[in-house]
Structures are given as structure tokens and as C-alpha cells.
Amino acid sequence: MLIKADPTACVGAGQCVLTEPTVFDQDEDGIVTLTTTHPEGPAAAAARTAVTLCPSGALSLVEHDT
Ligand code: SF4
């Protein structure tokens, strides 16, 4: 699973970081950054949840990135 984050769409709500801090972080302006683009195990499950929770639709995932 590949996680993608669009910094131009992010509104800095921080919901993703609260949901999975090992995958998502925020820069000094509050804009999302990714600690990893390929989370595994519990982090992958939580990242999947974060994608659904993001209020701005800035997060997306690709199930099979070959
Ligand atoms: S939840 Fe969405 S809007 Fe909020 S910081 Fe994360 S990517 Fe940005």
C-alpha cells in the first residue's frame, strides 16, 4: 500500500497525525508530511483510517503500487 499526501490540499487539521503519528507528521506550517509512504501492519491499518478522516481529502492510497 502506498500513501500519498497532497500538501496543496491539506488544511493542517492534524487529524492524520493524531490517528497515526508513525506515518504522518506536520511541518512548521501544519502541512502534512509523510514519515513513510509504505506503512505496514497496524500502521497501515491506521493510515487507511486517516485517509478516510482527513477533512480536506488531501490523503489517498494506492493498494497495489508496482
Ligand atoms: S488530516 Fe488532512 S488536512 Fe489534516 S493535516 Fe492531515 S492531510 Fe492535512
Side-chain angles (χ1 to χ4, degrees):
M1 182 178 83
L2 168 68
I3 290 282
K4 293 181 177 181
D6 179 358
T8 66
C10 175
V11 296
Q15 201 63 42
C16 54
V17 182
L18 291 172
T19 304
E20 186 44 66
T22 72
V23 175
F24 305 100
D25 201 353
Q26 288 171 284
D27 69 14
E28 59 273 13
D29 296 320
I31 301 303
V32 65
T33 61
L34 294 176
T35 304
T36 176
T37 54
H38 291 80
E40 296 180 355
R48 199 180 294 276
T49 299
V51 170
T52 68
L53 291 177
C54 175
S56 67
L59 303 177
S60 60
L61 60 85
V62 179
E63 293 291 351
H64 303 288
D65 62 313
T66 53

